[in-house]
Amino acid sequence: MSAPKPNPLPLSTPFPPAVRRAPVGTREKPLPLIIDCDPGHDDAMAITIAVARPEINLLGVTTVAGNATLPRTFENARRVLALLGVPDMPIAAGADRPLVRPLFTAAYVHGESGLEGAEMPAPAGRVHEAGAVDLIATLVAASPEPVVLAPLGPLTNIAQFITAHPELLSKIAHISWMGGAIGEGNVTAAAEFNAYVDPEAIQIVFSSGIPCTMVGLDVTHLARMGDAEVARLEQLGNRAGKIFAELLRYFAIFHRDRYNWNFCAIHDAVAVAHLVDPDLVAVVHAAVDAELGDLQRGRTVVDWLEPRLVERGRLANADVAVGIDAPRFANLLIDAVATFD
Ligand code: RIB
Ligand code: CA
């Protein structure tokens, strides 16, 4: 696989180009994928890409408390499955709080329901009553191929799966996580939401030995849907386009009021799009650690400088996203929505 073309980097730092370690699905060999999420407007768009694209074989969806409480993220995920016409998709609810800390939610971003802005269909999905960790274990054990995990919320469920099922870790091909940041924060100046909510879970996941990609705010803040893109969704003329246009118009309110931006950032969709398009996101190899203190709780410390890693005796344990072809991303997202009724 050719090294991705280093896209215009959003940061001033000239990162060394690095060949991605995340696998890419193809039509001939779709990637078996499990999405763990906290819908969440951008989670909903990420699930849409996974269902729409032939390069992905979505095995199941698990939900975690994050953007909203667990009952709400679980219900929202099931409504998204109904909208996408996959009512038999296995789905399970997971952790209703982080590993250690009290739950912190984001009604100020996504609304009280967690998916405000549109009339969604009634919930669907084949509910796995034994819970998220058991569903992930069941799907991974049954898969003939190693499975990719795409966590799009706090890493609580993934950390609990890793702790409970060490015998299955060799069947996890990669973890593509939307979370963290090199130099940005959206809850505090230091921390991105998914990392802030459960920083302890990050340490478990990133020290597990499973190859990881961290798709942080440095790149997802460039994954934009503005008025023109939302209008393109509406002009698709299908129900999915209409509903996602309504959802993004609501999601844009937070971005306008908080940042004075005239677009919304579709964070989670990048972590899934990275698995279908090898030329979308540029990465750097780095060591990632989570800050557990109070002042910088949830900050992801990303050390990408090879000589410094050697001096510290650290190995680069992750790919970290450092660039994205933003127009390509918007087209990929809109084309995915276009495939639905
Ligand atoms: O910081 C953005 C992340 O937090 C996204 O995953 C969003 O859905 C929220 O979970
Ligand atoms: Ca999310």
Side-chain angles (χ1 to χ4, degrees):
M1 183 183 309
S2 65
K5 293 185 291 297
N7 294 302
L9 299 183
L11 306 171
S12 59
T13 308
F15 293 105
V19 176
R20 61 181 284 147
R21 287 184 279 204
V24 179
T26 62
R27 286 171 179 273
E28 301 70 35
K29 195 168 171 37
L31 274 188
L33 178 69
I34 297 170
I35 286 180
D36 182 70
C37 56
D38 61 337
H41 293 72
D42 51 330
D43 304 72
M45 302 226 79
I47 297 167
T48 300
I49 294 174
V51 173
R53 294 296 294 244
E55 299 91 340
I56 297 281
N57 172 21
L58 185 60
L59 302 178
V61 174
T62 54
T63 58
V64 66
N67 283 322
T69 59
L70 181 65
R72 286 177 162 158
T73 60
F74 184 55
E75 177 181 325
N76 292 338
R78 295 181 61 210
R79 290 181 183 278
V80 172
L81 296 182
L83 175 66
L84 300 177
V86 285
D88 295 329
M89 179 66 63
I91 184 166
D96 63 1
R97 75 200 65 186
L99 295 180
V100 173
R101 299 167 193 261
L103 179 59
F104 175 85
T105 55
Y108 61 96
V109 182
H110 300 274
E112 274 310 315
S113 72
L115 193 61
E116 217 69 54
E119 186 71 34
M120 294 293 288
R126 183 150 47 90
V127 177
H128 185 87
E129 299 296 349
V133 169
D134 190 74
L135 179 57
I136 295 171
T138 302
L139 294 171
V140 169
S143 174
E145 297 289 326
V147 174
V148 176
L149 305 181
L152 308 176
L155 285 169
T156 318
N157 287 343
I158 308 304
Q160 290 179 338
F161 165 74
I162 289 170
T163 305
H165 293 281
E167 78 286 357
L168 291 174
L169 302 192
S170 61
K171 284 200 70 185
I172 305 298
H174 203 86
I175 291 174
S176 182
W177 175 50
M178 190 280 138
I182 299 171
E184 299 202 26
N186 59 6
V187 175
T188 66
E192 177 278 327
F193 178 85
N194 292 336
Y196 179 84
V197 171
D198 200 342
E200 284 76 13
I202 300 173
Q203 286 302 91
I204 292 171
V205 174
F206 279 75
S207 59
S208 68
I210 299 170
C212 290
T213 295
M214 184 184 103
V215 181
L217 294 178
D218 321 274
V219 162
T220 66
H221 274 162
L222 295 165
R224 301 170 177 178
M225 292 286 276
D227 294 342
E229 290 73 26
V230 172
R232 286 173 59 191
L233 284 175
E234 209 147 45
Q235 288 149 18
L236 291 173
N238 59 354
R239 178 178 72 154
K242 175 179 176 298
I243 286 179
F244 276 114
E246 290 168 353
L247 288 172
L248 292 191
R249 286 203 175 94
Y250 179 87
F251 195 32
I253 295 169
F254 161 76
H255 293 81
R256 182 197 63 209
D257 293 352
R258 179 73 154 235
Y259 297 107
N260 198 27
W261 291 348
N262 60 357
F263 57 82
C264 43
I266 317 299
H267 307 281
D268 294 331
V270 182
V272 173
H274 183 52
L275 301 171
V276 303
D277 183 342
D279 296 321
L280 183 70
V281 172
V283 298
V284 70
H285 295 164
V288 175
D289 290 288
E291 173 56 57
L292 304 181
D294 289 337
L295 176 62
Q296 299 209 54
R297 160 188 168 174
R299 181 177 179 222
T300 46
V301 180
V302 176
D303 192 349
W304 54 273
L305 194 62
E306 183 64 25
R308 189 167 52 205
L309 288 173
V310 171
E311 285 157 17
R312 295 174 55 209
R314 283 299 304 272
L315 289 175
N317 61 351
D319 287 6
V320 175
V322 291
I324 186 170
D325 183 333
R328 188 185 179 101
F329 168 78
N331 290 333
L332 185 153
L333 194 47
I334 294 166
D335 291 347
V337 176
T339 66
F340 296 94
D341 297 335

